[in-house]
Amino acid sequence: ALSILLGVWAWTHRPLAHPPGILVPTEPEQTPVENPTPWLHRGHRFFPLARFQVQARILGVERYRFDPAAHLSPVDYALGWGPMSDSAVLDRLDIDQSGRWYHYRWRNEPPIPLEEIIRHSANMHLIPANHWVERQLLKARKGQLVALRGMLVRIEGPNGFHWVSSTTRTDSGDGSCEVIWVEEVRWLSVGQGTP
């Protein structure tokens, strides 16, 4: 029975494959917050930095249960759009996540210029705004197409906790991840975009 359950789990969590071609042509959208009023959530103060929405291919999903931010952000997505949603590019990259970081490697030459990899992919720390959003975020599989809507935030909390979102898609390294208060999750099919 255990082997059957493990087999079902592996099948339902397997990465989704796609043929070559850009699956998500749109860029993330970021707009100013009209009334940037802070709010409290789980003992932390949230400061909105910008409204944010993104449609992307999931390049990786990493659960977190024990790090200092896990009770706020139980999962990170590595996301790709434009050329970083194209299997022809992704098949030539090794992608993984750990320690709230997203890593990519290649052999010989990168499949596209490094600047394009940076500009069209990111690791995003996801903070669900409610239990329904959290359940949706935790169902993700590598290869799925997703649309997220919410806000980029700065967070201050007990014991000096401090977390600040990047507000640009062209940075890399420490501090380059987006910290997103996620208000809406939608699963997309190939060819589906924002109405």
Side-chain angles (χ1 to χ4, degrees):
L2 180 58
S3 62
I4 291 173
L5 288 175
L6 289 174
V8 169
W9 185 92
W11 176 257
T12 57
H13 289 79
R14 73 194 187 286
L16 298 180
H18 298 283
I22 290 176
L23 300 180
V24 184
T26 57
E27 299 282 330
E29 296 180 24
Q30 181 175 313
T31 55
V33 178
E34 292 182 7
N35 297 300
T37 305
W39 69 92
L40 290 174
H41 176 69
R42 296 187 177 179
H44 293 68
R45 186 172 295 276
F46 284 65
F47 299 85
L49 302 176
R51 299 291 311 175
F52 184 74
Q53 59 183 352
V54 59
Q55 295 182 19
R57 177 176 177 167
I58 298 178
L59 310 181
V61 179
E62 187 70 17
R63 290 285 306 270
Y64 292 95
R65 295 177 175 86
F66 306 112
D67 77 346
H71 68 295
L72 297 175
S73 173
V75 64
D76 283 4
Y77 289 177
L79 296 179
W81 53 91
M84 285 295 287
S85 69
D86 185 348
S87 294
V89 171
L90 299 175
D91 287 348
R92 295 176 57 195
L93 292 170
D94 292 322
I95 292 173
D96 62 63
Q97 294 165 277
S98 64
R100 297 285 182 178
W101 288 76
Y102 149 59
H103 309 276
Y104 42 81
R105 290 175 294 280
W106 57 81
R107 294 187 180 188
N108 301 320
E109 296 293 326
I112 56 176
L114 178 58
E115 296 78 14
E116 293 297 297
I117 294 175
I118 292 170
R119 194 162 69 85
H120 291 95
S121 67
N123 190 57
M124 302 200 178
H125 309 315
L126 307 179
I127 302 170
N130 56 54
H131 291 300
W132 185 89
V133 169
E134 182 169 1
R135 287 196 301 271
Q136 293 299 306
L137 292 175
L138 294 177
K139 293 193 318 188
R141 293 161 58 189
K142 183 177 179 179
Q144 282 184 295
L145 306 184
V146 67
L148 305 175
R149 188 190 305 266
M151 282 188 279
L152 302 179
V153 294
R154 173 172 62 88
I155 308 170
E156 294 179 359
N159 303 313
F161 182 91
H162 189 71
W163 220 8
V164 182
S165 177
S166 167
T167 55
T168 177
R169 313 291 85 77
T170 58
D171 51 358
S172 65
D174 193 22
S176 65
C177 295
E178 282 70 23
V179 182
I180 309 175
W181 172 260
V182 182
E183 298 168 339
E184 181 184 347
V185 183
R186 288 189 297 119
W187 303 107
L188 307 176
S189 57
V190 174
Q192 182 183 0
T194 301

